[in-house]
Amino acid sequence: MPTEPTAAPSTPDREELVYARDALRDRGFAVIPAIVAGERLHGLRAEANFLIREFTESGYRSPDFWHFTPTSSGNDVLYRIHNLERQGAARTADLFRSGPLHTLASHLLGTRAEARVCALVVKMPLHAAAVPWHRDRTDTPAGTACNLSLFLDPSTPDNGCLEFAERSHLCEPEISVDEIREHCPAKLVGALAGDVVAHDVRIAHSSRPNTSARIRRSIVIEFVATRQESR
Ligand code: NI
């Protein structure tokens, strides 16, 4: 792969981080611009391209490559690569192990943060279906676990950007997603390539179909706050 000059590094200034931490705590989500750039972003995009082509062109199938098959076309549509750090992609594995997302997660959660799960979310052009409203999990208090989505492509309403029910991370686990939708305003949240969208795992969220000709890919890593032993 050609080397590129190192682009602007990925350290948001302190004010931006404080704003994002407060937004995540109060609204349940935050956008932190330009966390990954330049050669690192280029490398992650190349690895994602390779894995997607393995599925679409080489016919590779595995329990980690989640897909659906529309009856209309009969063609498999890839939508998620699970256990992404174990698919032989070195830069992606590095991103899961340490680096800018770990630093960001620690700032956002206010303590050391551990990466738990890593996936590539893929919204194929013209074929990706909507993801219905859901909460990732509610078995942990608000502010203790978040998903960071690193966007590899620009994300807009027409290619299926994320949509959040504001402040719904504060709702009790028993409250249904339908009830949440009646009370919490929905916010569409776009992003540029290299941006991170953080959301509390408890927030209700969804995404629309990709009706555009542009692919929308994001690497999603769940981080959990780790307690200090001396507390
Ligand atoms: Ni989700």
Side-chain angles (χ1 to χ4, degrees), residues 80 131-132 134-136 147 162 199 201 203 205-206:
R80 181 183 174 100
V131 174
H134 67 282
R135 304 171 86 176
D136 293 336
N147 270 308
L162 286 165
H199 73 264
V201 295
I203 198 169
H205 58 285
S206 70

PDB file of all heavy atoms in Angstrom, residues 80 131-132 134-136 147 162 199 201 203 205-206, ligand 1:
ATOM      1  N   ARG A  80     -23.214  -6.884   8.145  1.00  0.00           N
ATOM      2  CA  ARG A  80     -22.375  -6.760   9.330  1.00  0.00           C
ATOM      3  C   ARG A  80     -21.285  -7.833   9.295  1.00  0.00           C
ATOM      4  O   ARG A  80     -21.566  -8.978   8.951  1.00  0.00           O
ATOM      5  CB  ARG A  80     -23.221  -6.939  10.592  1.00  0.00           C
ATOM      6  CG  ARG A  80     -22.466  -6.804  11.907  1.00  0.00           C
ATOM      7  CD  ARG A  80     -23.416  -7.080  13.074  1.00  0.00           C
ATOM      8  NE  ARG A  80     -22.739  -7.113  14.342  1.00  0.00           N
ATOM      9  CZ  ARG A  80     -22.712  -6.107  15.222  1.00  0.00           C
ATOM     10  NH1 ARG A  80     -23.351  -4.994  14.964  1.00  0.00           N
ATOM     11  NH2 ARG A  80     -22.071  -6.229  16.367  1.00  0.00           N
ATOM     12  N   VAL A 131     -32.476  -0.508   9.793  1.00  0.00           N
ATOM     13  CA  VAL A 131     -32.328  -1.195  11.075  1.00  0.00           C
ATOM     14  C   VAL A 131     -33.425  -0.639  11.984  1.00  0.00           C
ATOM     15  O   VAL A 131     -33.485   0.562  12.210  1.00  0.00           O
ATOM     16  CB  VAL A 131     -30.931  -0.946  11.688  1.00  0.00           C
ATOM     17  CG1 VAL A 131     -30.848  -1.552  13.086  1.00  0.00           C
ATOM     18  CG2 VAL A 131     -29.846  -1.528  10.789  1.00  0.00           C
ATOM     19  N   PRO A 132     -34.328  -1.505  12.465  1.00  0.00           N
ATOM     20  CA  PRO A 132     -35.446  -1.015  13.267  1.00  0.00           C
ATOM     21  C   PRO A 132     -34.978  -0.396  14.589  1.00  0.00           C
ATOM     22  O   PRO A 132     -33.871  -0.678  15.062  1.00  0.00           O
ATOM     23  CB  PRO A 132     -36.275  -2.269  13.537  1.00  0.00           C
ATOM     24  CG  PRO A 132     -35.677  -3.359  12.747  1.00  0.00           C
ATOM     25  CD  PRO A 132     -34.319  -2.954  12.304  1.00  0.00           C
ATOM     26  N   HIS A 134     -34.168   0.105  18.272  1.00  0.00           N
ATOM     27  CA  HIS A 134     -33.795  -0.868  19.304  1.00  0.00           C
ATOM     28  C   HIS A 134     -32.856  -0.190  20.302  1.00  0.00           C
ATOM     29  O   HIS A 134     -32.339   0.901  20.041  1.00  0.00           O
ATOM     30  CB  HIS A 134     -33.082  -2.076  18.677  1.00  0.00           C
ATOM     31  CG  HIS A 134     -31.738  -1.728  18.097  1.00  0.00           C
ATOM     32  ND1 HIS A 134     -31.582  -1.105  16.884  1.00  0.00           N
ATOM     33  CD2 HIS A 134     -30.471  -1.885  18.584  1.00  0.00           C
ATOM     34  CE1 HIS A 134     -30.300  -0.902  16.636  1.00  0.00           C
ATOM     35  NE2 HIS A 134     -29.595  -1.356  17.663  1.00  0.00           N
ATOM     36  N   ARG A 135     -32.642  -0.846  21.430  1.00  0.00           N
ATOM     37  CA  ARG A 135     -31.586  -0.444  22.367  1.00  0.00           C
ATOM     38  C   ARG A 135     -30.556  -1.574  22.352  1.00  0.00           C
ATOM     39  O   ARG A 135     -30.943  -2.746  22.366  1.00  0.00           O
ATOM     40  CB  ARG A 135     -32.158  -0.254  23.777  1.00  0.00           C
ATOM     41  CG  ARG A 135     -33.304   0.753  23.795  1.00  0.00           C
ATOM     42  CD  ARG A 135     -34.017   0.792  25.136  1.00  0.00           C
ATOM     43  NE  ARG A 135     -33.366   1.705  26.069  1.00  0.00           N
ATOM     44  CZ  ARG A 135     -33.846   1.973  27.292  1.00  0.00           C
ATOM     45  NH1 ARG A 135     -34.946   1.364  27.733  1.00  0.00           N
ATOM     46  NH2 ARG A 135     -33.216   2.818  28.082  1.00  0.00           N
ATOM     47  N   ASP A 136     -29.262  -1.249  22.316  1.00  0.00           N
ATOM     48  CA  ASP A 136     -28.253  -2.309  22.231  1.00  0.00           C
ATOM     49  C   ASP A 136     -28.325  -3.197  23.462  1.00  0.00           C
ATOM     50  O   ASP A 136     -28.342  -4.412  23.355  1.00  0.00           O
ATOM     51  CB  ASP A 136     -26.854  -1.719  22.076  1.00  0.00           C
ATOM     52  CG  ASP A 136     -26.684  -1.013  20.728  1.00  0.00           C
ATOM     53  OD1 ASP A 136     -27.420  -1.362  19.784  1.00  0.00           O
ATOM     54  OD2 ASP A 136     -25.832  -0.117  20.635  1.00  0.00           O
ATOM     55  N   ASN A 147     -20.975   2.723  22.554  1.00  0.00           N
ATOM     56  CA  ASN A 147     -20.486   2.251  21.265  1.00  0.00           C
ATOM     57  C   ASN A 147     -19.884   3.429  20.519  1.00  0.00           C
ATOM     58  O   ASN A 147     -20.508   4.483  20.423  1.00  0.00           O
ATOM     59  CB  ASN A 147     -21.627   1.649  20.445  1.00  0.00           C
ATOM     60  CG  ASN A 147     -21.784   0.167  20.700  1.00  0.00           C
ATOM     61  OD1 ASN A 147     -20.818  -0.589  20.605  1.00  0.00           O
ATOM     62  ND2 ASN A 147     -22.988  -0.250  21.048  1.00  0.00           N
ATOM     63  N   LEU A 162     -27.242   7.210  11.261  1.00  0.00           N
ATOM     64  CA  LEU A 162     -27.850   6.831  12.537  1.00  0.00           C
ATOM     65  C   LEU A 162     -28.933   7.840  12.931  1.00  0.00           C
ATOM     66  O   LEU A 162     -28.877   9.017  12.572  1.00  0.00           O
ATOM     67  CB  LEU A 162     -26.783   6.785  13.632  1.00  0.00           C
ATOM     68  CG  LEU A 162     -25.838   5.586  13.581  1.00  0.00           C
ATOM     69  CD1 LEU A 162     -24.614   5.821  14.455  1.00  0.00           C
ATOM     70  CD2 LEU A 162     -26.577   4.324  14.029  1.00  0.00           C
ATOM     71  N   HIS A 199     -22.431   6.583  21.149  1.00  0.00           N
ATOM     72  CA  HIS A 199     -23.757   6.518  21.779  1.00  0.00           C
ATOM     73  C   HIS A 199     -23.744   5.581  22.974  1.00  0.00           C
ATOM     74  O   HIS A 199     -23.049   4.562  22.981  1.00  0.00           O
ATOM     75  CB  HIS A 199     -24.860   6.163  20.767  1.00  0.00           C
ATOM     76  CG  HIS A 199     -24.886   4.748  20.282  1.00  0.00           C
ATOM     77  ND1 HIS A 199     -24.302   4.346  19.107  1.00  0.00           N
ATOM     78  CD2 HIS A 199     -25.449   3.628  20.809  1.00  0.00           C
ATOM     79  CE1 HIS A 199     -24.498   3.051  18.928  1.00  0.00           C
ATOM     80  NE2 HIS A 199     -25.196   2.579  19.960  1.00  0.00           N
ATOM     81  N   VAL A 201     -24.971   2.701  25.204  1.00  0.00           N
ATOM     82  CA  VAL A 201     -25.576   1.442  24.734  1.00  0.00           C
ATOM     83  C   VAL A 201     -27.071   1.367  25.049  1.00  0.00           C
ATOM     84  O   VAL A 201     -27.797   0.584  24.430  1.00  0.00           O
ATOM     85  CB  VAL A 201     -24.875   0.189  25.320  1.00  0.00           C
ATOM     86  CG1 VAL A 201     -23.434   0.089  24.821  1.00  0.00           C
ATOM     87  CG2 VAL A 201     -24.935   0.143  26.838  1.00  0.00           C
ATOM     88  N   ILE A 203     -29.309   3.845  24.644  1.00  0.00           N
ATOM     89  CA  ILE A 203     -30.168   4.754  23.870  1.00  0.00           C
ATOM     90  C   ILE A 203     -30.921   3.988  22.776  1.00  0.00           C
ATOM     91  O   ILE A 203     -30.378   3.048  22.176  1.00  0.00           O
ATOM     92  CB  ILE A 203     -29.337   5.915  23.261  1.00  0.00           C
ATOM     93  CG1 ILE A 203     -30.249   7.074  22.854  1.00  0.00           C
ATOM     94  CG2 ILE A 203     -28.483   5.440  22.095  1.00  0.00           C
ATOM     95  CD1 ILE A 203     -29.500   8.348  22.485  1.00  0.00           C
ATOM     96  N   HIS A 205     -32.163   3.628  19.103  1.00  0.00           N
ATOM     97  CA  HIS A 205     -31.648   4.155  17.846  1.00  0.00           C
ATOM     98  C   HIS A 205     -32.041   3.252  16.680  1.00  0.00           C
ATOM     99  O   HIS A 205     -32.503   2.119  16.879  1.00  0.00           O
ATOM    100  CB  HIS A 205     -30.125   4.332  17.908  1.00  0.00           C
ATOM    101  CG  HIS A 205     -29.375   3.076  18.227  1.00  0.00           C
ATOM    102  ND1 HIS A 205     -29.333   2.531  19.480  1.00  0.00           N
ATOM    103  CD2 HIS A 205     -28.640   2.247  17.444  1.00  0.00           C
ATOM    104  CE1 HIS A 205     -28.604   1.431  19.464  1.00  0.00           C
ATOM    105  NE2 HIS A 205     -28.169   1.229  18.237  1.00  0.00           N
ATOM    106  N   SER A 206     -31.842   3.775  15.486  1.00  0.00           N
ATOM    107  CA  SER A 206     -32.202   3.042  14.271  1.00  0.00           C
ATOM    108  C   SER A 206     -31.386   3.616  13.128  1.00  0.00           C
ATOM    109  O   SER A 206     -30.617   4.562  13.320  1.00  0.00           O
ATOM    110  CB  SER A 206     -33.698   3.216  13.967  1.00  0.00           C
ATOM    111  OG  SER A 206     -33.942   4.554  13.562  1.00  0.00           O
TER     112      SER A 206
HETATM  113 NI    NI B   1     -27.582  -0.773  17.753  1.00  0.00          NI
END
